[in-house]
Amino acid sequence: MFDIHVIFRAAVVAIGAAAYGGTAAESGGRDRAESRLASMALPAGLAGARTPNLHRAVDGAVYLSWQQPDGDGGELLRFARWRDGAWSAPQTIAGGQDWFVNWADFPALVALDQERLAAHWLQRSGPGRYDYDVRLTLSGDGGQSWRPAPALYESGAAGEHGFVSLLPLAGGRLLAVLLDGSAFGEGEAAAARTMLRYALVEPAGTIGERGVVDRSTCDCCQTSLAATPLGPLAAWRARREGDIRDIHFSHYRDGRWSAPRAVADESWATAACPVNGPMLAALDDQVVLAWYTGADTSPRVRYAWSSDGGLNFGRPFTVAAQNGETVPLGRVAAALIGRRHAAVTWLETTGSQASLLLQVVGPEGPVSPPSIVAELAPGRDSGFPRLVRLDEASLLIAWTARDREAGIELKRLMLDESSP
């Protein structure tokens, strides 16, 4: 059994000790993490895959899901489970010819237990460029068979419905939050906003509740959910008067959502959606919330820590800011590694180069300097990298890699117990 405190001392040394040495100077103050990185074997049969997603179940199992061409002009949603040091044979969840495939809004899978799984994908619903619906499907036999679930929202209007987050709950229930843009562009501009909706799926597959969490949100930024002792915690980019688009959060407790609150008063006013949502990670009452902001015309990646289950967050810390040609792009991910440390990843560009960065952080601020995990394709080709705790000694990072035949890349970041 690994000692988590030893692991973290090792992580700080391995990831950040050289950040002020020669390699750091060559990479603009960024260390390179090759000594702790290893390429992970991919599930069998990948060709042209994209938009990988990662999920760590309550029992510690890790699931990888992805989209893949079916060879006939359509799409497949597939998954594999990491067990006994290897990936299971890929299983197909669903397929179709009329799917909405997007670099920023993509499917996900979660495990309610070892046998019961839930997944969603996006399917076109009208002639508009962003007319698409969410399709939720459930399995009770570990993914061998799937059955459709009822719609997560009642509106039948064409429009954007996506950016879904799924969270397994106690008792076999499932919580979903998503953006509903079906009213966008109708009526007065002040009233025609994208909304954050939620739905509770009961163990039998029926919808127990539907409702609205926030009636005015950013149009195309990812949402996030995490389990806390106080109940499910949601985070998203809101849209307030004056086009203020700061990150907000809310708890679901006793059958209702708390009033949304901003995690930081940044007052970022922007007329366009930045396509950059927040990411939550939680372990018991410890919660980290990471996000991107362009407030004060200064692109930054920030995080805030909560030690009371997300009821209150401390002051925000900046892990990346514009420095000359180096500009943070955001696309954040986060994972808790023990109660007092977390890993945060993000993308940034320097000239025509793009890099994936990782930093270990804690409640009082960053613990290590940032470290370069990989050089990625600039623009949308790399999508939104994902990060989870693979086991006691390592993290797993996934992203779209268009230059690889398989289409995606997996890296394992080791946290070596032998370092001081």
Side-chain angles (χ1 to χ4, degrees), residues 54-57 59-64 80-83 87 388-391 396:
L54 294 169
H55 167 68
R56 180 181 170 90
D59 65 0
V62 171
Y63 293 80
L64 169 70
R81 184 173 185 254
W82 178 259
R83 69 174 87 206
W87 292 107
V388 296
R389 181 83 177 275
L390 183 64
D391 51 39
L396 179 60

Side-chain angles (χ1 to χ4, degrees), residues 33-238:
E34 283 94 340
S35 63
R36 289 288 169 251
L37 278 170
S39 292
M40 283 275 289
L42 294 166
L46 266 66
R50 54 193 179 280
T51 61
N53 219 335
L54 294 169
H55 167 68
R56 180 181 170 90
V58 174
D59 65 0
V62 171
Y63 293 80
L64 169 70
S65 59
W66 65 92
Q67 291 178 104
Q68 185 174 347
D70 66 2
D72 193 30
E75 294 289 327
L76 300 173
L77 175 58
R78 311 188 77 198
F79 81 97
R81 184 173 185 254
W82 178 259
R83 69 174 87 206
D84 301 325
W87 292 107
S88 63
Q91 295 172 256
T92 298
I93 300 170
Q97 298 284 322
D98 58 350
W99 285 19
F100 179 81
V101 179
N102 184 266
W103 70 288
D105 190 1
F106 45 89
L109 173 144
V110 297
L112 284 75
D113 54 41
Q114 290 188 355
E115 295 299 320
R116 292 188 300 157
L117 309 176
H120 88 276
W121 70 91
L122 307 173
Q123 190 167 336
R124 293 195 175 277
S125 61
R129 181 179 180 183
Y130 295 108
D131 289 346
Y132 62 93
D133 286 335
V134 175
R135 302 300 185 199
L136 181 69
T137 187
L138 306 172
S139 174
D141 55 13
Q144 297 297 319
S145 62
W146 295 85
R147 69 184 191 278
L152 297 174
Y153 42 90
E154 295 176 335
S155 171
E160 182 181 39
H161 299 86
F163 296 98
V164 181
S165 291
L166 301 174
L167 180 68
L169 302 179
R173 296 193 303 167
L174 175 71
L175 174 65
V177 297
L178 69 149
L179 298 185
D180 176 5
S182 58
F184 187 80
E186 298 178 359
E188 295 297 326
R193 297 290 174 88
T194 297
M195 295 185 289
L196 180 69
R197 291 187 178 273
Y198 82 98
L200 278 173
V201 184
E202 300 296 338
T206 59
I207 302 296
E209 294 180 25
R210 292 187 184 96
V212 176
V213 183
D214 189 345
R215 295 190 176 278
S216 182
T217 71
C218 208
D219 315 317
C220 46
C221 285
Q222 294 76 17
T223 61
S224 188
L225 282 171
T228 80
L230 300 179
L233 177 66
W236 66 96
R237 189 177 297 282

Side-chain angles (χ1 to χ4, degrees), residues 12 62 91 170 176 203 272 310-311 314 329 340 358 378:
V12 173
V62 171
Q91 295 172 256
L311 185 63
L329 295 180
R340 305 300 287 175
L358 181 145

